[in-house]
Amino acid sequence: MEIVIVESLEEAGEIAANRLAETIAENPETVLGLATGSSPLPLYQALRRHVSAGLNMRRVSGFALDEYVGIAASDERSYTATIEREVTGPLGLNPELVHVPEGGASDPQQAADRYELAIKSAGGIDVQILGIGSDGHLGFNEPGSSLASRTRIKTLSQRTREDNARFFATLEEVPRHCITQGLGTIMDARHLLLFAQGTAKAEAIAAALEGPVSSRCPASVIQLHPSATVYVDTSAAARLELADFYKYIYTNKPGWSR
Ligand code: GLP
């Protein structure tokens, strides 16, 4: 893992967007895994500047991490709408190449199975963008999720529903179920890019990066990935015991590995 501690996620968004823009310029058919939530927004915003400067993302494919079950895709709070608003539209992706699990499907498990196949048919995800839940979830893989799980229906924890209640008028309106890429699906991506900010994430980040690999903290599975970069702001990094070491490594990174 490469752990990069930054003053703000705006700084992380710039660094990550520069790297991602190079990747896309080299391979215009890059397949991205797309996270919603506030943490990846600085990356998407920084990518907009690359697009304005000429980066063409029309042939890039996207696979959202997750979607609620129980609200319509057309609902502005759905992740389908969020991805369209934050990614597909502003970055000029071809909507036909952008996929979100069908939370409204009459048979959600069949929809989840189709999603796995679609990822395979696209050649697998090159770069999976991730946030982390305050309970350590990745996508919507809540504590207790199998570390080998595939895309499937999950029940949201009460803590996640409370965290996400800010997007709804009342807690009661927050869906109880979702379809999410599994941890095994996420781990199949060639590179993982995780963003976390704020003290509310400090405990989850410490457990994920320095705790035991355990379904108690689903994000800890990232320790088993051969190519993962984690950007955390100083607040989210507050409980990392090896924070100074991670800063030392990053500052002394040799040119050839940048
Ligand atoms: C939701 C999403 C996750 C996301 C998490 C954190 O629960 N399903 O994929 O990582 O929120 O969101 P934020 O980045 O807004 O803190």
Side-chain angles (χ1 to χ4, degrees):
M1 285 180 296
E2 178 180 40
I3 300 169
V4 187
I5 299 173
V6 288
E7 285 303 315
S8 71
L9 279 197
E10 277 63 39
E11 187 186 338
E14 288 294 339
I15 304 168
N18 289 344
R19 287 187 179 180
L20 205 47
E22 277 176 27
T23 303
I24 294 165
E26 275 165 27
N27 174 16
E29 295 185 357
T30 297
V31 180
L32 297 179
L34 300 168
T36 51
S38 48
S39 314
L41 290 180
L43 167 68
Y44 298 146
Q45 275 148 14
L47 274 175
R48 284 186 202 193
R49 291 190 277 282
H50 286 272
V51 170
S52 305
L55 178 71
N56 188 340
M57 292 185 64
R58 192 72 188 161
R59 287 158 62 201
V60 167
S61 300
F63 285 90
L65 263 178
D66 44 18
E67 176 58 292
Y68 290 116
V69 167
I71 55 176
S74 56
D75 188 309
E76 61 174 359
R77 299 161 303 182
S78 74
Y79 287 172
T80 307
T82 306
I83 293 286
E84 165 59 35
R85 199 168 52 237
E86 304 293 347
V87 182
T88 315
L91 299 184
L93 269 66
N94 177 352
E96 287 183 11
L97 299 180
V98 179
H99 312 264
V100 182
E102 291 168 67
S106 53
D107 185 335
Q109 188 50 54
Q110 260 184 24
D113 294 343
R114 278 199 299 278
Y115 203 66
E116 282 283 324
L117 280 177
I119 293 174
K120 265 202 194 88
S121 315
I125 291 172
D126 293 305
V127 181
Q128 175 64 64
I129 299 158
L130 296 163
I132 185 172
S134 64
D135 62 359
H137 72 221
L138 278 192
F140 269 139
N141 293 278
E142 301 285 28
S145 293
S146 158
L147 301 184
S149 49
R150 312 304 306 185
T151 305
R152 69 215 182 291
I153 310 164
K154 287 295 284 179
T155 303
L156 301 179
S157 71
Q158 195 55 12
R159 183 160 175 191
T160 297
R161 293 186 65 243
E162 284 163 11
D163 284 350
N164 290 2
R166 64 190 195 276
F167 300 110
F168 295 82
T170 63
L171 178 59
E172 204 37 48
E173 281 181 36
V174 183
R176 292 175 192 275
H177 298 95
C178 65
I179 298 180
T180 181
Q181 286 188 35
L183 293 170
T185 318
I186 292 168
M187 288 292 284
D188 282 350
R190 295 178 187 93
H191 185 71
L192 303 183
L193 202 48
L194 172 68
F195 297 91
Q197 64 184 336
T199 41
K201 301 293 172 69
E203 194 188 331
I205 279 294
L209 305 183
E210 295 181 339
V213 174
S214 159
S215 62
R216 178 73 187 79
C217 177
S220 63
V221 74
I222 197 172
Q223 294 177 36
L224 299 175
H225 198 283
S227 178
T229 306
V230 182
Y231 290 100
V232 280
D233 74 358
T234 41
S235 308
R239 296 190 55 182
L240 288 173
E241 287 179 12
L242 300 182
D244 287 343
F245 178 56
Y246 306 139
K247 286 182 194 159
Y248 172 83
I249 296 176
Y250 190 67
T251 311
N252 291 287
K253 201 169 165 171
W256 49 259
S257 78
R258 278 183 189 274

